[in-house]
Amino acid sequence: MKIRFFKLPALMIVIFLAASLTSCSKKGSGTGDTTTTTPTTPEGSSSTDSNIDDLMALSSGSTYSTKTSLGVHFQSLSEATSDQLTWLNDATKEPAVPKGKESTLTMLTSPVTLYPYGDPSPADCNQTALGDCSAISIFAELAYTNPSFIKSIIKDNGNSTYTVSMYSPNGTPIKVTVSNKFMSNLSNGTIVAVTGKSQIPTWSTVMEKALMKYIEVYKLVQTIEGIGSEYASPPFTGDG
């Protein structure tokens, strides 16, 4: 089931506003240090909530593609081979850590609490030591607008593995399965991927790891760090 929220230009503005509340600096050491940016209200705008029509008036451009429902950023990407699809759906296959951080990061086991508050919540999306704020803002937006959608695409396999329903670049449904090993600091064991409160892995940690595996196969970007929202949303929603 593909899900549509609203046209991407407006989504980009919403995500920009959401991301401004999140530390978005790149972390070179994987220690968890962050640089916080204080959000400000743009000149001439109101501090009250805007509706979608207000946001659309500020949008420009389009990511619509006649070749794939995922949008122009996906239309030139190659499809996965059968072996790659098998790799994606194999929980024992782990994504690589970002290049240059092999000596400081590793994959460590940590128990998952999928939904600490009963349903997916933006509170489950906390940046730690990766520069993954745009992906996190997408997860938080999905949790805020359609928490039931998140539950519909994540299957708890009952053996500490989780299967996430996603879409290949041409819009074909695929399955990506991950274990409960998450990217962590090699020296102190803290998770550097997105987590819930108190370093507890949640649905957001599972979705980010699935996206990491997706990136490794489809090469839409080099790494989860610095990924734009235009790349982070379509693999889950099927709509770019």
Side-chain angles (χ1 to χ4, degrees):
M1 175 188 70
K2 296 182 181 180
I3 183 166
R4 292 179 180 272
F5 295 96
F6 38 80
K7 293 298 183 181
L8 188 59
L11 174 61
M12 292 290 289
I13 296 171
V14 173
I15 297 309
F16 172 80
L17 295 174
S20 69
L21 302 177
T22 308
S23 169
C24 196
S25 60
K26 293 293 186 65
K27 288 81 179 176
S29 62
T31 61
D33 294 336
T34 61
T35 301
T36 302
T37 301
T38 302
T40 58
T41 302
E43 183 178 353
S45 66
S46 170
S47 60
T48 59
D49 292 338
S50 298
N51 62 37
I52 189 64
D53 294 328
D54 296 329
L55 295 174
M56 286 302 294
L58 301 174
S59 67
S60 63
S62 173
T63 59
Y64 173 76
S65 170
T66 59
K67 297 180 179 180
T68 173
S69 63
L70 274 68
V72 294
H73 299 293
F74 292 77
Q75 65 185 18
S76 299
L77 299 179
S78 299
E79 288 298 307
T81 65
S82 58
D83 286 344
Q84 288 174 321
L85 290 174
T86 299
W87 184 88
L88 284 171
N89 202 23
D90 185 344
T92 67
K93 305 301 183 183
E94 303 291 348
V97 301
K99 289 184 178 180
K101 297 188 176 182
E102 295 88 350
S103 63
T104 59
L105 301 180
T106 189
M107 305 297 288
L108 296 178
T109 300
S110 186
V112 175
T113 301
L114 269 182
Y115 309 112
Y117 301 101
D119 286 315
S121 166
D124 300 325
C125 307
N126 297 276
Q127 186 180 22
T128 54
L130 292 179
D132 52 358
C133 56
S134 288
I136 293 174
S137 65
I138 287 291
F139 301 153
E141 186 267 342
L142 288 173
Y144 183 75
T145 60
N146 203 332
S148 62
F149 170 71
I150 293 172
K151 283 189 166 182
S152 75
I153 66 170
I154 299 177
K155 178 185 177 184
D156 184 345
N157 297 317
N159 59 355
S160 298
T161 70
Y162 306 87
T163 299
V164 183
S165 296
M166 301 180 72
Y167 293 91
S168 74
N170 71 2
T172 301
I174 61 171
K175 301 294 185 183
V176 181
T177 302
V178 301
S179 70
N180 63 343
K181 290 183 177 180
F182 302 106
M183 198 168 297
S184 304
N185 188 300
L186 188 60
S187 64
N188 59 24
T190 58
I191 298 174
V192 300
V194 59
T195 69
K197 300 296 184 181
S198 303
Q199 281 270 300
I200 297 174
T202 69
W203 59 268
S204 66
T205 324
V206 168
M207 284 182 64
E208 182 173 71
K209 185 176 179 182
L211 185 57
M212 290 177 182
K213 292 186 70 169
Y214 186 101
I215 290 170
E216 196 156 322
V217 167
Y218 293 109
K219 313 297 184 186
L220 67 160
V221 291
Q222 290 185 341
T223 173
I224 192 70
E225 291 197 287
I227 189 173
S229 55
E230 69 273 25
Y231 292 102
S233 176
F236 298 106
T237 65
D239 184 10

